[in-house]
Amino acid sequence: MRTASAPWPRCSPLSRFCLPGRLRRPWMSGTPATTGREKARSAINSGLNSFLDLIDPEKVSMIEFGQVRAFVAVADELNFGRAAKRLNMTQPPLSRQIQILEATLAVKLLERTSRSVRLTAAGRAFLSEARTMLQQREHAVKAARQAASLAGGALSIGFVGATTYGYLPWLATRVRDELPDIEITFEELTSRQQLDALRSGRIDLGLVRPIETEKPIRSASVFREGLALALPLDHPLAVRRRPELSHLEGQPFIMYSSGGPYMRALLTAAFDANGIRPQVVQSMSQAQAILSLVSAGLGLAIVPDETRNACFDNVVFRPIRLGPSVFAELHAIWRSDNRNTALPRLRELAFRTAR
């Protein structure tokens, strides 16, 4: 049994640990067969045209994860120096790892010159499968650790900064009270970063602004809130209890930048629909930065209503309507093929108590 202080074995045969199911061959599970070539042919997936099917099965089982990781790094960087730095190693052992991998597979994966590195056709085919191998290994390690550490399991939740003003503390409290046997880890990530983290298995569930997703990632609304006008305490509109959107015509305004695409699109659409043209003086991606500029007297801003929980001197909030059905939404995203047994319990809680 591996302990926290013991390193992972230097050689972890893919045939016994994490080769994806769609690549797994009969000879790797101990199925009797007559010859290596017959065994390979009997295992070929009808939808898979990978050159791995043509490789001696004995050689496939000799591939080490370190070699696969080295190849993926070089393929990503197309530069041995940068890849070596990324892997915290020097170039000579990195080159040796690639050479051993190519010798094992009996194919050339990279074309190397003194000035450039590029993938061969075989390298491009192997890259997709190599990424899957590494992801499956990570999933297997995570699943084993979860099973060993807690009976209820463990979950990793990604979240955007906007959730910290209200929804995230509320959800964390409910999880603590209703799912005490599940260990929860939180990680702040942008919406795009959360999509990548879901694909790699780094997180189990994400909390994001509405974002376009593709299978197997699912998305559903768990929270929506109104909007508030944030303005300096001494601004003339501060005396109004419910300012109208038309009052922002020509006013100095702090807008969401392209780094906050959801809120930027929401506000832009509302201004366009009502023919309002505020004077945009600054653009920021996060509400925290926007409110700091409002506090400094640089302009007004429209932010999600729960942002008023942020503590800023010299800032007051007033409710404002952008339209009859305009709200700021928060979505939960997850992989439909995630086998973490704790995930359905968390989703059920989030949707049951959705606000």
Side-chain angles (χ1 to χ4, degrees), residues 8-17 61 63-66 137:
W8 285 104
R10 186 169 180 270
C11 177
S12 299
L14 299 178
S15 59
R16 294 192 302 166
F17 191 54
S61 66
I63 299 174
E64 299 181 10
F65 278 112
R137 177 186 185 276

Side-chain angles (χ1 to χ4, degrees), residues 2-254:
R2 179 185 179 275
T3 64
S5 59
W8 285 104
R10 186 169 180 270
C11 177
S12 299
L14 299 178
S15 59
R16 294 192 302 166
F17 191 54
C18 77
L19 192 64
R22 65 194 182 94
L23 288 180
R24 194 170 296 279
R25 308 292 193 266
W27 61 80
M28 295 182 179
S29 58
T31 302
T34 55
T35 68
R37 179 57 62 187
E38 290 172 345
K39 287 184 286 186
R41 286 175 178 168
S42 67
I44 293 177
N45 186 310
S46 60
L48 181 63
N49 295 318
S50 169
F51 68 91
L52 287 179
D53 291 310
L54 305 178
I55 296 173
D56 187 340
E58 295 299 327
K59 291 184 177 181
V60 173
S61 66
M62 295 169 59
I63 299 174
E64 299 181 10
F65 278 112
Q67 297 164 5
V68 177
R69 189 179 296 108
F71 169 72
V72 171
V74 175
D76 286 343
E77 302 292 343
L78 293 179
N79 182 286
F80 273 79
R82 290 195 298 269
K85 185 175 181 180
R86 168 172 155 181
L87 296 171
N88 295 314
M89 63 192 303
T90 58
Q91 289 190 47
L94 174 61
S95 298
R96 181 62 179 158
Q97 291 274 49
I98 299 299
Q99 291 168 359
I100 294 173
L101 179 61
E102 290 179 324
T104 301
L105 298 177
V107 293
K108 195 173 186 62
L109 301 174
L110 299 167
E111 291 286 355
R112 306 185 275 285
T113 69
S114 59
R115 294 186 176 182
S116 66
V117 177
R118 68 181 182 86
L119 291 166
T120 64
R124 288 191 294 272
F126 185 65
L127 178 59
S128 174
E129 308 300 341
R131 293 190 197 281
T132 303
M133 294 174 194
L134 295 178
Q135 289 176 4
Q136 290 289 340
R137 177 186 185 276
E138 186 174 342
H139 293 332
V141 171
K142 185 175 180 181
R145 287 175 175 171
Q146 287 174 350
S149 63
L150 282 174
L155 289 167
S156 180
I157 300 176
F159 65 92
V160 292
T163 63
T164 60
Y165 301 112
Y167 183 80
L168 185 66
W170 174 84
L171 178 64
T173 300
R174 299 301 296 269
V175 170
R176 180 197 63 196
D177 293 343
E178 299 191 31
L179 304 175
D181 59 328
I182 298 178
E183 180 182 358
I184 302 291
T185 301
F186 294 97
E187 183 174 0
E188 183 175 5
L189 300 165
T190 66
S191 295
R192 289 292 175 189
Q193 288 173 334
Q194 289 187 56
L195 288 178
D196 292 338
L198 279 175
R199 294 186 186 104
S200 68
R202 179 175 162 189
I203 64 173
D204 298 291
L205 183 127
L207 298 172
V208 300
R209 292 302 187 190
I211 189 171
E212 185 176 349
T213 62
E214 296 179 353
K215 292 182 179 179
I217 296 178
R218 302 278 302 277
S219 176
S221 177
V222 293
F223 178 67
R224 70 177 190 174
E225 58 187 313
L227 297 154
L229 177 66
L231 60 167
L233 187 60
D234 60 355
H235 193 280
L237 288 177
V239 299
R240 294 179 175 269
R241 297 190 63 181
R242 289 186 173 274
E244 299 292 333
L245 196 60
S246 60
H247 293 148
L248 303 187
E249 178 68 34
Q251 290 283 344
F253 191 80
I254 302 164

Side-chain angles (χ1 to χ4, degrees), residues 209 223-227 262-263 266 322-329:
R209 292 302 187 190
F223 178 67
R224 70 177 190 174
E225 58 187 313
L227 297 154
Y262 172 74
M263 287 299 301
L266 194 72
L322 273 62
S325 58
V326 179
F327 301 92
E329 283 194 273

Side-chain angles (χ1 to χ4, degrees), residues 269-280:
F271 290 146
D272 289 346
N274 291 275
I276 306 300
R277 292 293 180 270
Q279 179 189 353
V280 177

